[in-house]
Amino acid sequence: VLCLDREFYSVDVFEFLQNKKIPHITPVVRRGKKIKKMLIGRKARNAQYTMENSEKKKIHLNIVVDVKYLKGKRGKNGCENLGFVVYGVKWSPRKVSTVYRRRFAIESSYRMRNIVRPRTSTRNVTTRYFFALISFLLRNMWLYLQKKHFTKVKQGPQTIDEDKFRFDRFVLLIEDWLRRKLRIQL
């Protein structure tokens, strides 16, 4: 499933994706009375919506609305309606919302990789690929250590206390270990 940002919320993009039969999820842009009215309620649901652009081009969209209760998160209470344009998947509203939310993990893993990847000006693809592999390896080692040693013991889903072993601290430990190893061998 292709997960797109709000910037792709347009008739032309949806028409292209539907013509090519590409399954996709895109968050709804809250613009217009009809959409705003559709995103009010207390139940997860599916709805049909006809989107029109300035050139009078129309497209029929399947809107999936997931309702999440905020419970004081971000200082808010009540329920939040999350709307998504969905095509090519028959999932529950909660699964659509979860799949879309998890796509940001990919982007953050690249950002984390760039923290430990050495800066280089080499044009050698093999060297650059090697550095990327090492950075992903370090990231995965950190995730393993976090899960193994910093998981909160409690009922319910497993949660990790991320504040006790942050990634930047792990990088400092690795750098310190490397400095000591190199000094001993010289």
Side-chain angles (χ1 to χ4, degrees), residues 34-175:
K34 199 172 180 184
I35 282 288
K36 287 179 182 175
K37 188 176 179 183
M38 192 181 295
L39 295 176
I40 296 173
R42 293 183 174 272
K43 280 188 164 184
R45 62 204 171 275
N46 292 344
Q48 297 298 316
Y49 176 68
T50 303
M51 187 175 174
E52 189 176 333
N53 68 3
S54 58
E55 300 157 6
K56 302 297 179 197
K57 241 175 155 177
K58 292 183 179 182
I59 190 161
H60 298 287
L61 302 173
N62 182 29
I63 307 287
V64 171
V65 181
D66 183 30
V67 178
K68 290 193 175 179
Y69 294 96
L70 295 171
K71 300 178 203 167
K73 291 179 188 166
R74 299 187 308 266
K76 297 179 183 179
N77 290 307
C79 53
E80 178 181 36
N81 284 266
L82 304 170
F84 299 94
V85 174
V86 176
Y87 177 80
V89 290
K90 302 278 188 232
W91 293 339
S92 69
R94 182 54 46 101
K95 184 169 181 182
V96 169
S97 177
T98 303
V99 167
Y100 187 79
R101 184 176 44 91
R102 286 196 180 142
R103 82 175 182 77
F104 292 108
I106 296 166
E107 294 173 5
S108 68
S109 69
Y110 280 112
R111 194 171 50 248
M112 297 294 260
R113 177 204 68 182
N114 290 337
I115 291 172
V116 293
R117 190 181 68 193
R119 305 287 182 250
T120 180
S121 60
T122 183
R123 293 186 179 181
N124 185 343
V125 176
T126 309
T127 304
R128 296 175 80 82
Y129 186 65
F130 175 72
F131 287 154
L133 287 175
I134 294 296
S135 62
F136 278 125
L137 179 68
L138 288 172
R139 167 103 169 114
N140 285 333
M141 285 171 47
W142 172 70
L143 287 170
Y144 171 77
L145 289 171
Q146 255 195 338
K147 187 169 180 143
K148 180 95 172 148
H149 299 288
F150 299 97
T151 302
K152 293 179 183 175
V153 178
K154 66 177 187 74
Q155 281 188 335
Q158 219 178 36
T159 55
I160 296 171
D161 192 357
E162 295 176 0
D163 292 332
K164 290 193 176 168
F165 189 56
R166 309 227 9 118
F167 189 64
D168 52 352
R169 180 177 290 264
F170 175 69
V171 170
L172 287 173
L173 288 171
I174 295 293
E175 287 175 354

